[in-house]
Each structure stands twice: as C-alpha cells, then as structure tokens.
Amino acid sequence: MNDLVFIQNDEVLTDSLTIAEVFGKEHKNVKRDIENTISNIDILKTSEEARGLGIDFSSLKFERCEYKAANGQIYTKFLLNFDAFMLVTMGYTTQRAMLVKVRYINEFNRMKEALQKQQQVLQPKTQAEMLLLYAQQMVEQERKIKALEEDNARQNSRIEQLENKIEKRMTEEFEMQLVTPTQIGKMFEPAISGKEVNKLLQRAGLQWRVGGEWVPTAEGKKYSSSEPIQLESGKMVYQLKWQRRVKEIIQAEMGGIAG
C-alpha cells in the first residue's frame, strides 16, 4: 500500500485499517490496541504524575468513525494523527515493525510538508484575495450550518415518528385492557350502571344471557375474556370482562337508541 497517510480537514492522518494492513495484523486486534491506549490515556490524564510533568494530551487524535466494507456492511475504524499512531505502535517491536514505523514517519513528514506548501500557496497575498478567501469561508460555513440543520431536522423527524409509534402502542395497549361493565359505565359522563352497560352490550350483539350468566357471542369474544373470581361464599364463578375499546360500540348503540 502506497497511501499510508492522507490529508483530511488540514490534518495528516492514517487509519486503523491501514495500520492493520501494513503491520500484518488483524483489524480487530489493532482496534483493541487503540482502545486500550485510549483507556490508559484516560487514566493517565487524571494522575498526579501527568500533572506534575505538565503533559498535554490534546495533541493526540483518536477519532472513531464508520466505513462501508466491500461486502456492504458498516464497520467502525479509527483515524489517528502522528502522535496517536506512535503511541499505539510503540509496542510493535519486531524488526519489520520498526521498518514499517520508519516508513510511516517518512510518509507523515512528506505529507506534512506537502500540506504546508499547499497552505502557503493558498495564503492570500492581496486584499482582493483576502476578500475572496473570506467569502469562500462564509459560503463553506453556511453550507456546514445548512447540513447540520438538515441533519437536525432528520433527527427530529425520527424522534417524532418514534414518539408517535410509542404513543400509538400505549393507546392500543390501554384500549385492550380488560375492565368490568361497572368500570366501563364510569367512563361515561354522566356515568351509567353496569347493568345498563350489559344491556347495551347485548343490544350490540356482543353477549347474551345463558342460565343467568352473561356469555359472549362470536363477535363479542373479540373484545372480551372470562376470568374466574371467588365469591365470599367460596364459590368460583366466571366474570366477563371487556376491553376498554367497547366504549365506542356502546356509544354508537346509545346514539341509535336516542335516534
């Protein structure tokens, strides 16, 4: 591989995929080494020794990002600057590894020099060039702001869709809850009795009376469930409970009676 390093946002970088390839390692092992290095740095940052030595960790760049592999899957990798690269590969001490590191150093230096020359060429020399550069920077800034706004709008849209799904699910679950006819009656304003609810359910074709007990019809079974309860006498009976959503059916039946 010739392109050991590359320029991104005016920085000379390499990535964990390239490091794995040139050092002859598996990418997962290189990522593990990077993550271990990051963890050790996080610990060292708060140490008294680091503060005493006046160590600045800000020059280290470890940036986790995603890439699409040849198989179409999305995986993670790390972007590293020169300082981060040297810290991670410090433990790679074979003869070949030492040669690879020297080659990397050469490439980092070469690319850094090329970047500096490019920046010198782009440096404005006249007032007109300075104004043009300023205008270009403003356009680029507006482009980035617009991209952020669009991304924020997409995120908000996803959040809104998720909230709507959750609300719909909660509403559906609430409407499917089983309650007694008396509880259904209390949902109305003014409230009606459980007996009236049972009569309206009968008129709607959802239940009928068999042997002194209410039994759901084939249609009524879609909205109800018989649950066993124990009376004070100790006798076990079945109580017919209804989903909250039958309130709409009862309201329609009440409207039909009123009409």
Side-chain angles (χ1 to χ4, degrees), residues 36-109:
N36 289 340
T37 302
I38 293 172
S39 297
N40 290 333
I41 289 171
D42 288 339
I43 295 171
L44 289 171
K45 282 179 180 179
T46 59
S47 69
E48 291 291 338
E49 187 175 2
R51 284 195 289 269
L53 294 171
I55 296 176
D56 181 13
F57 293 93
S58 63
S59 64
L60 300 170
K61 180 184 181 72
F62 296 97
E63 182 180 330
R64 187 191 299 269
C65 59
E66 294 181 341
Y67 72 97
K68 181 181 284 189
N71 62 5
Q73 296 294 314
I74 303 297
Y75 299 102
T76 60
K77 67 176 182 178
F78 284 92
L79 300 180
L80 297 83
N81 63 2
F82 176 74
D83 294 347
F85 163 79
M86 290 302 295
L87 206 56
V88 170
T89 60
M90 196 175 290
Y92 301 171
T93 57
T94 65
Q95 183 176 356
R96 184 179 183 282
M98 294 297 290
L99 291 172
V100 171
K101 281 192 278 188
V102 171
R103 183 182 172 199
Y104 251 112
I105 291 170
N106 292 337
E107 284 301 301
F108 267 108
N109 289 334

Coordinates of all heavy atoms in Angstrom, one line a residue, residues 36-109:
N36 N -7.3 0.1 24.1 CA -6.5 0.0 25.3 C -5.7 1.3 25.5 O -5.6 1.7 26.7 CB -5.6 -1.2 25.2 CG -6.4 -2.5 25.3 OD1 -7.5 -2.6 25.8 ND2 -5.8 -3.6 24.8
T37 N -5.1 1.8 24.4 CA -4.3 3.0 24.6 C -5.2 4.2 25.0 O -4.8 5.0 25.9 CB -3.7 3.4 23.2 OG1 -2.8 2.3 22.8 CG2 -2.8 4.6 23.3
I38 N -6.4 4.3 24.5 CA -7.3 5.4 24.9 C -7.7 5.3 26.3 O -7.7 6.2 27.1 CB -8.6 5.4 24.0 CG1 -8.2 5.7 22.5 CG2 -9.6 6.3 24.5 CD1 -9.3 5.6 21.6
S39 N -7.9 4.0 26.8 CA -8.3 3.8 28.2 C -7.2 4.1 29.1 O -7.4 4.8 30.1 CB -8.7 2.3 28.4 OG -9.8 1.9 27.6
N40 N -5.9 3.8 28.7 CA -4.8 4.1 29.5 C -4.6 5.6 29.6 O -4.2 6.1 30.7 CB -3.5 3.4 29.0 CG -3.6 1.9 29.2 OD1 -4.2 1.4 30.1 ND2 -2.9 1.2 28.3
I41 N -4.8 6.3 28.5 CA -4.6 7.7 28.5 C -5.6 8.4 29.4 O -5.3 9.3 30.1 CB -4.7 8.3 27.0 CG1 -3.5 7.9 26.2 CG2 -4.9 9.8 27.0 CD1 -3.6 8.2 24.7
D42 N -6.9 7.9 29.3 CA -7.9 8.5 30.2 C -7.6 8.4 31.7 O -7.9 9.3 32.5 CB -9.3 7.8 29.9 CG -9.9 8.1 28.6 OD1 -9.5 9.2 28.1 OD2 -10.7 7.4 28.1
I43 N -6.9 7.3 32.0 CA -6.5 7.1 33.4 C -5.3 8.0 33.7 O -5.3 8.7 34.8 CB -6.0 5.6 33.7 CG1 -7.3 4.7 33.5 CG2 -5.4 5.5 35.0 CD1 -6.9 3.2 33.5
L44 N -4.4 8.1 32.8 CA -3.2 9.0 33.0 C -3.5 10.5 33.1 O -2.8 11.2 33.8 CB -2.2 8.7 31.9 CG -1.5 7.4 31.9 CD1 -0.7 7.2 30.6 CD2 -0.5 7.2 33.1
K45 N -4.5 10.9 32.4 CA -4.9 12.3 32.4 C -5.2 12.8 33.8 O -4.9 14.0 34.1 CB -6.2 12.5 31.5 CG -5.9 12.5 30.0 CD -7.2 12.7 29.2 CE -7.0 12.7 27.8 NZ -8.2 12.9 27.0
T46 N -5.7 12.0 34.6 CA -6.1 12.4 36.0 C -5.0 12.1 37.0 O -5.2 12.4 38.2 CB -7.4 11.7 36.4 OG1 -7.2 10.3 36.4 CG2 -8.5 12.1 35.5
S47 N -3.9 11.6 36.6 CA -2.8 11.2 37.5 C -2.0 12.4 38.0 O -1.8 13.4 37.2 CB -1.9 10.1 36.9 OG -1.2 10.7 35.9
E48 N -1.5 12.4 39.2 CA -0.7 13.4 39.7 C 0.6 13.5 38.9 O 1.1 14.6 38.7 CB -0.4 13.1 41.2 CG -1.6 13.3 42.1 CD -2.0 14.7 42.3 OE1 -1.2 15.6 42.0 OE2 -3.2 14.9 42.6
E49 N 1.1 12.4 38.5 CA 2.4 12.4 37.8 C 2.3 13.1 36.4 O 3.2 13.9 36.1 CB 2.8 10.9 37.5 CG 4.2 10.8 36.9 CD 4.7 9.4 36.8 OE1 3.9 8.5 37.1 OE2 5.8 9.2 36.3
A50 N 1.1 12.9 35.7 CA 0.9 13.6 34.5 C 0.8 15.1 34.7 O 1.4 15.9 33.9 CB -0.3 13.1 33.8
R51 N 0.1 15.5 35.7 CA 0.0 17.0 36.0 C 1.4 17.5 36.4 O 1.7 18.7 36.1 CB -1.0 17.2 37.2 CG -2.5 17.0 36.7 CD -3.4 17.6 37.7 NE -3.5 16.8 38.9 CZ -4.4 15.8 39.1 NH1 -5.3 15.5 38.1 NH2 -4.4 15.1 40.2
G52 N 2.1 16.7 37.2 CA 3.4 17.2 37.6 C 4.4 17.4 36.5 O 5.2 18.3 36.5
L53 N 4.3 16.6 35.4 CA 5.1 16.7 34.3 C 4.6 17.7 33.3 O 5.3 18.0 32.3 CB 5.3 15.3 33.6 CG 6.1 14.2 34.4 CD1 5.9 12.9 33.7 CD2 7.5 14.6 34.6
G54 N 3.4 18.2 33.5 CA 2.8 19.2 32.6 C 2.5 18.6 31.2 O 2.7 19.3 30.2
I55 N 2.1 17.3 31.2 CA 1.8 16.7 29.9 C 0.5 17.2 29.3 O -0.5 17.3 29.9 CB 1.8 15.1 30.1 CG1 3.1 14.6 30.6 CG2 1.4 14.4 28.8 CD1 3.2 13.2 30.9
D56 N 0.6 17.5 28.0 CA -0.6 17.9 27.2 C -1.0 16.8 26.3 O -0.3 16.4 25.4 CB -0.2 19.2 26.4 CG -1.4 19.7 25.6 OD1 -2.5 19.2 25.9 OD2 -1.2 20.5 24.7
F57 N -2.2 16.3 26.6 CA -2.7 15.1 25.8 C -3.6 15.6 24.6 O -4.1 14.8 23.8 CB -3.6 14.2 26.7 CG -2.9 13.5 27.8 CD1 -2.8 14.1 29.0 CD2 -2.3 12.3 27.5 CE1 -2.1 13.4 30.0 CE2 -1.6 11.6 28.5 CZ -1.5 12.2 29.8
S58 N -3.7 16.9 24.4 CA -4.6 17.4 23.4 C -4.1 17.2 22.0 O -4.8 17.3 21.0 CB -4.8 18.9 23.6 OG -3.6 19.6 23.5
S59 N -2.7 16.9 21.9 CA -2.2 16.6 20.5 C -2.5 15.3 20.0 O -2.3 15.0 18.8 CB -0.6 16.8 20.6 OG -0.1 15.8 21.4
L60 N -3.1 14.4 20.8 CA -3.5 13.1 20.4 C -4.8 13.0 19.8 O -5.8 13.5 20.3 CB -3.4 12.1 21.6 CG -2.1 12.0 22.3 CD1 -2.3 11.2 23.6 CD2 -1.1 11.3 21.4
K61 N -4.9 12.5 18.6 CA -6.2 12.4 17.9 C -6.6 10.9 17.7 O -5.9 10.2 16.9 CB -6.2 13.1 16.5 CG -7.5 13.1 15.8 CD -7.3 13.7 14.4 CE -8.7 13.7 13.6 NZ -9.6 14.6 14.2
F62 N -7.6 10.5 18.3 CA -8.2 9.2 18.1 C -9.7 9.5 17.8 O -10.5 9.9 18.6 CB -8.2 8.3 19.4 CG -6.8 8.0 19.8 CD1 -6.2 8.7 20.8 CD2 -6.1 6.9 19.3 CE1 -4.9 8.4 21.3 CE2 -4.9 6.6 19.7 CZ -4.2 7.3 20.7
E63 N -10.1 9.2 16.5 CA -11.5 9.5 16.1 C -12.1 8.2 15.6 O -11.7 7.7 14.6 CB -11.5 10.6 15.0 CG -12.9 11.0 14.6 CD -12.9 12.0 13.5 OE1 -12.0 12.9 13.5 OE2 -13.8 12.0 12.7
R64 N -13.1 7.8 16.3 CA -13.9 6.6 15.8 C -14.9 7.0 14.7 O -15.6 8.0 14.8 CB -14.7 6.0 17.0 CG -15.3 4.7 16.7 CD -16.3 4.3 17.8 NE -15.6 4.1 19.0 CZ -15.1 3.0 19.5 NH1 -15.2 1.9 18.7 NH2 -14.5 2.9 20.6
C65 N -14.9 6.3 13.6 CA -15.8 6.6 12.5 C -16.3 5.3 11.9 O -15.8 4.2 12.2 CB -15.2 7.5 11.5 SG -13.7 6.8 10.8
E66 N -17.2 5.4 11.0 CA -17.7 4.2 10.3 C -17.3 4.2 8.8 O -17.0 5.2 8.2 CB -19.3 4.2 10.3 CG -19.8 4.1 11.7 CD -21.3 4.0 11.8 OE1 -21.9 4.5 10.8 OE2 -21.9 3.6 12.7
Y67 N -17.2 3.0 8.3 CA -16.9 2.8 6.8 C -17.7 1.6 6.3 O -18.1 0.7 7.1 CB -15.4 2.6 6.6 CG -14.9 1.3 7.1 CD1 -14.7 0.2 6.2 CD2 -14.6 1.0 8.4 CE1 -14.3 -1.0 6.6 CE2 -14.1 -0.2 8.8 CZ -14.0 -1.2 7.9 OH -13.5 -2.5 8.3
K68 N -17.9 1.6 5.0 CA -18.6 0.5 4.4 C -17.6 -0.4 3.7 O -16.8 0.0 2.9 CB -19.6 1.1 3.3 CG -20.4 -0.1 2.6 CD -21.4 0.5 1.5 CE -22.6 1.1 2.2 NZ -23.6 1.4 1.1
A69 N -17.7 -1.7 4.1 CA -16.8 -2.7 3.6 C -17.2 -3.1 2.2 O -18.3 -2.8 1.8 CB -16.7 -3.8 4.6
A70 N -16.4 -4.0 1.6 CA -16.7 -4.5 0.3 C -18.0 -5.3 0.3 O -18.7 -5.4 -0.8 CB -15.5 -5.3 -0.3
N71 N -18.3 -5.9 1.4 CA -19.5 -6.8 1.5 C -20.8 -5.9 1.8 O -21.8 -6.5 1.9 CB -19.3 -7.8 2.6 CG -19.1 -7.2 4.0 OD1 -19.2 -6.0 4.1 ND2 -18.8 -8.1 5.0
G72 N -20.6 -4.6 1.8 CA -21.7 -3.7 2.0 C -22.1 -3.5 3.5 O -23.0 -2.7 3.8
Q73 N -21.4 -4.2 4.4 CA -21.7 -4.0 5.8 C -21.0 -2.7 6.3 O -20.0 -2.3 5.8 CB -21.2 -5.2 6.6 CG -21.9 -6.5 6.3 CD -23.4 -6.4 6.7 OE1 -23.7 -6.0 7.8 NE2 -24.3 -6.9 5.8
I74 N -21.5 -2.2 7.4 CA -20.9 -1.0 8.0 C -20.1 -1.4 9.3 O -20.6 -2.1 10.1 CB -22.0 0.0 8.5 CG1 -22.9 0.4 7.2 CG2 -21.4 1.2 9.1 CD1 -22.1 1.2 6.2
Y75 N -18.9 -1.0 9.3 CA -18.0 -1.3 10.4 C -17.4 0.0 11.0 O -17.5 1.1 10.4 CB -16.9 -2.3 10.0 CG -17.4 -3.6 9.5 CD1 -17.4 -3.8 8.1 CD2 -17.8 -4.6 10.3 CE1 -17.9 -5.1 7.6 CE2 -18.2 -5.8 9.9 CZ -18.3 -6.1 8.5 OH -18.7 -7.3 8.0
T76 N -16.7 -0.2 12.1 CA -16.0 1.0 12.7 C -14.5 0.9 12.5 O -13.9 -0.2 12.4 CB -16.3 1.1 14.2 OG1 -15.8 -0.1 14.9 CG2 -17.8 1.3 14.5
K77 N -13.9 2.1 12.4 CA -12.4 2.2 12.4 C -12.0 3.4 13.1 O -12.8 4.2 13.6 CB -11.9 2.2 10.9 CG -12.3 3.5 10.2 CD -11.7 3.5 8.8 CE -12.0 4.8 8.1 NZ -11.4 4.9 6.7
F78 N -10.7 3.6 13.3 CA -10.2 4.8 14.0 C -9.3 5.6 13.0 O -8.6 5.1 12.2 CB -9.3 4.4 15.2 CG -10.1 4.0 16.4 CD1 -10.4 2.6 16.5 CD2 -10.6 4.9 17.3 CE1 -11.2 2.2 17.6 CE2 -11.3 4.5 18.4 CZ -11.6 3.1 18.6
L79 N -9.4 6.9 13.1 CA -8.5 7.9 12.5 C -7.5 8.3 13.5 O -7.9 8.6 14.7 CB -9.2 9.1 11.9 CG -10.3 8.8 10.9 CD1 -10.9 10.1 10.4 CD2 -9.8 8.1 9.7
L80 N -6.2 8.3 13.2 CA -5.1 8.7 14.1 C -4.2 9.7 13.4 O -3.9 9.6 12.2 CB -4.3 7.5 14.5 CG -5.0 6.4 15.3 CD1 -5.7 5.4 14.3 CD2 -4.0 5.6 16.1
N81 N -3.7 10.7 14.3 CA -2.7 11.6 13.8 C -1.3 10.9 14.1 O -1.3 9.8 14.7 CB -2.8 13.0 14.3 CG -2.7 13.0 15.8 OD1 -2.5 12.0 16.5 ND2 -2.8 14.2 16.4
F82 N -0.2 11.6 13.8 CA 1.1 11.1 14.0 C 1.4 10.7 15.5 O 1.8 9.6 15.8 CB 2.2 12.1 13.5 CG 3.6 11.6 13.8 CD1 4.1 10.6 13.0 CD2 4.3 12.1 14.8 CE1 5.4 10.2 13.2 CE2 5.6 11.7 15.0 CZ 6.2 10.7 14.3
D83 N 1.0 11.6 16.4 CA 1.3 11.3 17.8 C 0.5 10.1 18.3 O 1.1 9.3 19.0 CB 0.9 12.6 18.6 CG 1.8 13.8 18.3 OD1 2.8 13.6 17.7 OD2 1.5 14.9 18.7
A84 N -0.7 10.0 17.9 CA -1.5 8.9 18.3 C -1.0 7.6 17.7 O -0.9 6.5 18.4 CB -3.0 9.1 17.9
F85 N -0.6 7.6 16.5 CA 0.0 6.5 15.8 C 1.2 6.0 16.5 O 1.3 4.8 16.8 CB 0.3 6.8 14.3 CG 1.3 5.9 13.7 CD1 0.8 4.7 13.2 CD2 2.6 6.2 13.6 CE1 1.7 3.8 12.6 CE2 3.5 5.3 13.0 CZ 3.0 4.1 12.5
M86 N 2.1 6.9 16.9 CA 3.3 6.5 17.5 C 3.1 5.9 18.9 O 3.7 4.9 19.3 CB 4.3 7.7 17.7 CG 4.9 8.2 16.4 SD 5.8 6.9 15.5 CE 7.2 6.7 16.6
L87 N 2.1 6.4 19.6 CA 1.7 5.9 20.9 C 1.2 4.5 20.8 O 1.5 3.6 21.6 CB 0.7 6.8 21.6 CG 0.7 6.8 23.1 CD1 2.1 7.2 23.7 CD2 -0.3 7.8 23.6
V88 N 0.3 4.2 19.8 CA -0.3 2.9 19.7 C 0.7 1.9 19.2 O 0.7 0.7 19.7 CB -1.5 3.0 18.7 CG1 -2.0 1.6 18.3 CG2 -2.6 3.8 19.2
T89 N 1.6 2.2 18.3 CA 2.5 1.3 17.7 C 3.8 1.2 18.5 O 4.8 0.5 18.1 CB 2.9 1.6 16.3 OG1 3.5 3.0 16.2 CG2 1.6 1.6 15.4
M90 N 3.9 1.8 19.7 CA 5.1 1.8 20.5 C 5.4 0.3 20.9 O 6.6 0.0 21.1 CB 4.9 2.6 21.7 CG 6.2 3.0 22.5 SD 5.8 4.1 23.8 CE 5.4 5.6 22.9
G91 N 4.4 -0.5 21.1 CA 4.6 -1.9 21.5 C 4.9 -2.8 20.3 O 5.2 -4.0 20.5
Y92 N 4.9 -2.3 19.1 CA 5.2 -3.2 17.9 C 6.7 -3.1 17.7 O 7.2 -2.1 17.2 CB 4.5 -2.7 16.7 CG 3.0 -2.6 16.8 CD1 2.2 -2.0 15.8 CD2 2.3 -3.2 17.8 CE1 0.8 -2.0 15.9 CE2 0.9 -3.2 17.9 CZ 0.2 -2.5 16.9 OH -1.2 -2.5 17.0
T93 N 7.5 -4.1 18.2 CA 8.9 -4.0 18.3 C 9.7 -5.0 17.4 O 10.9 -5.1 17.6 CB 9.3 -4.2 19.8 OG1 8.8 -5.5 20.2 CG2 8.8 -3.1 20.6
T94 N 9.0 -5.7 16.6 CA 9.8 -6.7 15.7 C 10.6 -5.8 14.7 O 10.3 -4.6 14.5 CB 8.8 -7.6 14.9 OG1 8.0 -6.8 14.1 CG2 8.0 -8.4 15.9
Q95 N 11.5 -6.5 14.0 CA 12.4 -5.8 13.1 C 11.5 -5.2 11.9 O 11.7 -4.0 11.5 CB 13.5 -6.7 12.5 CG 14.4 -6.0 11.5 CD 15.5 -6.9 11.1 OE1 15.6 -8.1 11.5 NE2 16.4 -6.4 10.2
R96 N 10.6 -6.0 11.4 CA 9.7 -5.5 10.4 C 8.9 -4.3 10.8 O 8.7 -3.3 10.1 CB 8.8 -6.6 9.9 CG 8.0 -6.2 8.7 CD 7.1 -7.3 8.2 NE 6.4 -6.9 7.0 CZ 5.3 -6.2 7.0 NH1 4.8 -5.7 8.2 NH2 4.7 -5.8 5.9
A97 N 8.4 -4.4 12.1 CA 7.6 -3.4 12.6 C 8.3 -2.1 12.7 O 7.8 -1.0 12.5 CB 7.0 -3.8 14.0
M98 N 9.6 -2.2 13.1 CA 10.4 -1.0 13.2 C 10.6 -0.3 11.8 O 10.6 0.9 11.7 CB 11.8 -1.3 13.8 CG 11.8 -1.8 15.3 SD 11.2 -0.5 16.4 CE 12.6 0.6 16.3
L99 N 10.8 -1.2 10.8 CA 11.0 -0.6 9.5 C 9.7 0.0 9.0 O 9.7 1.1 8.3 CB 11.3 -1.8 8.5 CG 12.7 -2.4 8.7 CD1 12.9 -3.6 7.8 CD2 13.8 -1.3 8.3
V100 N 8.5 -0.6 9.3 CA 7.2 0.0 8.9 C 7.0 1.3 9.6 O 6.6 2.3 9.0 CB 6.1 -1.0 9.3 CG1 4.7 -0.3 9.1 CG2 6.2 -2.2 8.4
K101 N 7.4 1.4 10.9 CA 7.3 2.7 11.6 C 8.1 3.8 11.0 O 7.7 5.0 10.9 CB 7.6 2.5 13.1 CG 6.5 1.9 13.9 CD 6.7 2.0 15.4 CE 7.6 0.8 15.8 NZ 7.7 0.8 17.3
V102 N 9.3 3.5 10.6 CA 10.2 4.4 9.9 C 9.6 4.9 8.6 O 9.6 6.1 8.3 CB 11.6 3.9 9.7 CG1 12.4 4.8 8.8 CG2 12.3 3.6 11.0
R103 N 9.0 3.9 7.9 CA 8.3 4.3 6.6 C 7.2 5.2 6.9 O 6.9 6.2 6.2 CB 7.9 3.0 5.9 CG 7.2 3.3 4.6 CD 6.7 2.0 4.0 NE 5.9 2.2 2.8 CZ 5.1 1.3 2.3 NH1 4.9 0.2 2.8 NH2 4.4 1.6 1.2
Y104 N 6.4 4.9 8.0 CA 5.3 5.8 8.4 C 5.8 7.2 8.7 O 5.2 8.2 8.3 CB 4.6 5.2 9.6 CG 3.2 4.7 9.3 CD1 2.9 3.3 9.3 CD2 2.2 5.5 8.9 CE1 1.7 2.8 9.0 CE2 0.9 5.0 8.6 CZ 0.6 3.7 8.7 OH -0.6 3.2 8.4
I105 N 6.9 7.3 9.5 CA 7.4 8.6 9.9 C 7.8 9.4 8.6 O 7.5 10.6 8.5 CB 8.6 8.4 10.8 CG1 8.2 7.8 12.1 CG2 9.4 9.7 10.9 CD1 9.4 7.4 13.0
N106 N 8.4 8.7 7.6 CA 8.7 9.4 6.4 C 7.5 9.9 5.7 O 7.5 11.0 5.2 CB 9.5 8.4 5.5 CG 10.9 8.1 6.0 OD1 11.4 8.8 6.8 ND2 11.4 6.9 5.6
E107 N 6.4 9.1 5.6 CA 5.2 9.5 4.9 C 4.5 10.6 5.7 O 4.0 11.5 5.0 CB 4.3 8.3 4.8 CG 4.7 7.3 3.7 CD 4.8 7.9 2.4 OE1 3.7 8.5 1.9 OE2 5.8 8.0 1.8
F108 N 4.5 10.5 7.0 CA 3.9 11.6 7.8 C 4.6 13.0 7.5 O 4.0 14.0 7.3 CB 3.9 11.3 9.3 CG 2.6 10.7 9.8 CD1 2.6 9.3 10.2 CD2 1.5 11.4 9.9 CE1 1.5 8.7 10.6 CE2 0.3 10.8 10.4 CZ 0.3 9.5 10.7
N109 N 5.9 12.9 7.5 CA 6.7 14.1 7.3 C 6.5 14.6 5.9 O 6.4 15.8 5.6 CB 8.2 13.8 7.5 CG 8.5 13.6 9.0 OD1 7.8 14.2 9.9 ND2 9.6 12.9 9.3

